[in-house]
Amino acid sequence: MPTQWTLSIMPADGWVPQSWMFCIAACSVGFALLVVVAAFMALRIRRMRQRIEREKRIDQETGMFTYDGFVETFDKAAGGSGEPLTLICLMVDDFEKTAFAISWEARRCYLGKVREEIDAVVHSNHVEARIGSGAFVVAVRERIETHALADLMRALELALMWKVRIDGKKTFCRVRSAAVYYPEDGADLTALVERTISLLERDKPESCAPARKRQG
């Protein structure tokens, strides 16, 4: 007889029954799939949020900054450092009335070229934004002297003038502009832009575009 006995007890189905093995494998696969689905949904939600944030910051018709995007950009940059800016605010007279009188295609065509027209005129480092239906602001990252500024404003007014035909007649929606300096004319960038636009709104001339039903 051996001096040492080893007693080995093994259940007939093994330590882990076959049915348990299937259950454990199914639970593992289910958990892995759940993790993958959760990660996919989290990534999708993140991308949706990023797209929404981009849409809030970028105007879809012009590709320029929106007002919120413009303010955010300079809150992080100029607003914190006091970087000198020349702000040129531009307003297209009777933009909405003219847009209502003509086709959507003409409106899209005009708005799609605004940024290109601004970039063709302003050669200094600048940022442009659409801050209203027919209102724009160009922030030039330097202080432009008075004489050069007047020439630049005039060039922008001519570049953004909207030439349309209503009832077979050529109509011009003229552009008015005003310029201020930051921070020389005001340390609050947002208030400075809003005040300049409100002055342009207040001094708006008589209507230039006849109202009629939109075509097509």
Side-chain angles (χ1 to χ4, degrees):
M1 295 292 290
T3 57
Q4 185 175 356
W5 290 81
T6 301
L7 184 63
S8 177
I9 301 174
M10 175 70 71
D13 294 334
W15 290 110
V16 180
Q18 192 73 18
S19 59
W20 286 26
M21 290 291 291
F22 285 123
C23 183
I24 292 171
C27 289
S28 299
V29 172
F31 180 74
L33 289 174
L34 185 62
V35 170
V36 170
V37 170
F40 174 77
M41 292 302 296
L43 181 61
R44 186 174 181 180
I45 290 171
R46 181 182 176 186
R47 287 178 176 173
M48 286 178 63
R49 287 178 176 172
Q50 289 175 339
R51 187 187 63 179
I52 291 171
E53 286 301 314
R54 279 198 306 270
E55 289 177 354
K56 285 172 58 179
R57 298 178 70 251
I58 302 297
D59 178 67
Q60 300 304 302
E61 292 185 291
T62 62
M64 300 159 62
F65 279 118
T66 60
Y67 183 71
D68 288 343
F70 174 79
V71 171
E72 179 184 337
T73 297
F74 285 103
D75 274 349
K76 291 179 179 178
S81 64
E83 171 191 5
L85 300 172
T86 301
L87 299 171
I88 305 172
C89 296
L90 302 147
M91 180 167 291
V92 183
D93 287 332
D94 291 310
F95 178 84
E96 286 298 340
K97 186 176 289 188
T98 302
F100 183 77
I102 60 178
S103 67
W104 279 108
E105 184 58 36
R107 170 196 170 103
R108 284 194 296 267
C109 182
Y110 172 78
L111 289 173
K113 293 180 179 178
V114 169
R115 185 177 186 181
E116 180 183 336
E117 295 289 350
I118 291 174
D119 289 343
V121 172
V122 185
H123 303 296
S124 304
N125 186 6
H126 67 281
V127 173
E128 58 265 297
R130 185 187 183 191
I131 57 176
S133 58
F136 310 93
V137 62
V138 181
V140 184
R141 296 180 185 269
E142 63 179 83
R143 191 186 188 286
I144 304 175
E145 295 305 320
T146 306
H147 180 72
L149 180 57
D151 291 341
L152 180 60
M153 290 167 65
R154 179 58 178 164
L156 285 169
E157 290 173 4
L158 291 173
L160 298 189
M161 183 184 294
W162 195 8
K163 309 171 188 69
V164 298
R165 283 188 176 276
I166 298 177
D167 293 330
K169 297 179 181 179
K170 186 179 291 186
T171 300
F172 296 92
C173 287
R174 301 187 182 280
V175 180
R176 290 174 299 115
S177 63
V180 288
Y181 295 113
Y182 170 89
E184 182 178 329
D185 292 327
D188 186 331
L189 184 64
T190 304
L192 192 59
V193 172
E194 289 179 351
R195 187 167 67 246
T196 307
I197 288 295
S198 67
L199 290 174
L200 286 173
E201 286 278 12
R202 187 194 66 184
D203 298 334
K204 187 175 180 179
E206 290 297 320
S207 173
C208 68
R212 71 178 182 88
K213 282 189 175 182
R214 178 189 299 280
Q215 294 179 339

